[in-house]
Amino acid sequence: DAGVTQSPTHLIKTRGQHVTLRCSPISGHKSVSWYQQVLGQGPQFIFQYYEKEERGRGNFPDRFSARQFPNYSSELNVNALLLGDSALYLCASSWSGGYNEQFFGPGTRLTVL
Amino acid sequence: QKEVEQDPGPLSVPEGAIVSLNCTYSNSAFQYFMWYRQYSRKGPELLMYTYSSGNKEDGRFTAQVDKSSKYISLFIRDSQPSDSATYLCAMSAGAGGTSYGKLTFGQGTILTVHP
């Protein structure tokens, strides 16, 4: 079975631009979570979606938004990019929102110049 | 003070050694405890998942949770060069409240096992 997939693998943007990152969960999983991992640090929680509804939100500005589609895939959008948004963005899949065994994808590496 | 503290190392051991990795935490609401392994430029891979206090063993890996001390450990027996990676502890309070689904991670310990 395929694991969590994310696209693109990496991308380069300039300050002020907008970016959309995509994630497909493991088949049968209904929840997707997004994390930001800065080099040398552990992942930081951004959002969790379950059954297309936002169920949890981390301490990130409103420039960050997400949504989940009927097929349970998800998008993370970041507006007005800042240099500090450069990081590895990770998507994690779980069977349900409250079930905490989360399986991560390979991530999207975002570089903001 | 961070909710989860993890010694970043780096930790270097010879092949075959027993490795001990540790995390402390301050949030008494944490009930679920996980260890992830992350190779360079890859996503974290779930190694161990435990609920509440106690021990769990899986092959060469043993996870221990002591909620009274707010302390968790991962032991790796007979370490191999392929175990060289960053090890991340993660914790969750479960499905309630604003922390719904949130994993809180330590900053990771870089482990190198040399032949």
Side-chain angles (χ1 to χ4, degrees):
Chain A
D1 284 343
V4 179
T5 59
Q6 293 188 243
S7 63
T9 303
H10 47 267
L11 71 168
I12 299 173
K13 294 285 188 178
T14 56
R15 282 177 295 175
Q17 285 190 311
H18 162 271
V19 68
T20 298
L21 311 179
R22 296 178 175 82
C23 170
S24 291
I26 293 169
S27 178
H29 284 193
K30 300 180 178 181
S31 179
V32 167
S33 301
W34 288 95
Y35 292 81
Q36 179 196 66
Q37 186 177 25
V38 174
L39 194 63
Q41 299 295 318
Q44 296 290 314
F45 176 73
I46 309 176
F47 290 110
Q48 187 182 67
Y49 277 76
Y50 174 58
E51 289 286 12
K52 302 179 286 297
E53 291 187 8
E54 181 185 303
R55 297 300 184 100
R57 172 184 282 258
N59 188 25
F60 279 80
D62 291 343
R63 299 185 295 109
F64 289 77
S65 64
R67 55 179 176 168
Q68 187 177 31
F69 299 100
N71 66 353
Y72 302 110
S73 66
S74 177
E75 283 183 353
L76 176 69
N77 295 283
V78 187
N79 293 323
L81 285 167
L82 303 174
L83 296 178
D85 294 331
S86 295
L88 181 68
Y89 288 85
L90 296 161
C91 171
S93 161
S94 57
W95 182 72
S96 72
Y99 187 60
N100 292 281
E101 213 167 16
Q102 297 185 18
F103 299 92
F104 284 82
T108 293
R109 186 163 298 280
L110 172 65
T111 301
V112 182
L113 301 176
Chain B
Q1 182 186 5
K2 293 183 179 180
E3 277 190 294
V4 180
E5 298 278 359
Q6 184 176 4
D7 185 345
L11 186 61
S12 180
V13 301
E15 183 175 355
I18 296 175
V19 176
S20 173
L21 305 168
N22 311 294
C23 288
T24 59
Y25 63 95
S26 58
N27 187 347
S28 57
F30 288 146
Q31 301 181 66
Y32 301 89
F33 304 91
M34 288 136 273
W35 287 94
Y36 285 86
R37 177 174 63 193
Q38 187 173 26
Y39 292 112
S40 181
R41 298 188 171 274
K42 302 290 186 182
E45 172 193 7
L46 181 64
L47 285 176
M48 301 290 280
Y49 173 85
T50 55
Y51 170 70
S52 196
S53 288
N55 294 354
K56 182 176 182 179
E57 186 174 322
D58 185 1
R60 296 185 296 111
F61 299 91
T62 300
Q64 289 185 350
V65 175
D66 182 350
K67 290 188 69 179
S68 63
S69 301
K70 296 189 177 67
Y71 187 86
I72 70 170
S73 299
L74 178 70
F75 297 94
I76 306 174
R77 292 183 298 280
D78 187 25
S79 56
Q80 302 295 310
S82 59
D83 294 328
S84 298
T86 297
Y87 288 79
L88 296 156
C89 64
M91 309 178 188
S92 171
T98 58
S99 65
Y100 192 96
K102 173 184 177 181
L103 296 183
T104 302
F105 284 84
Q107 70 177 98
T109 298
I110 301 171
L111 171 67
T112 302
V113 181
H114 50 87

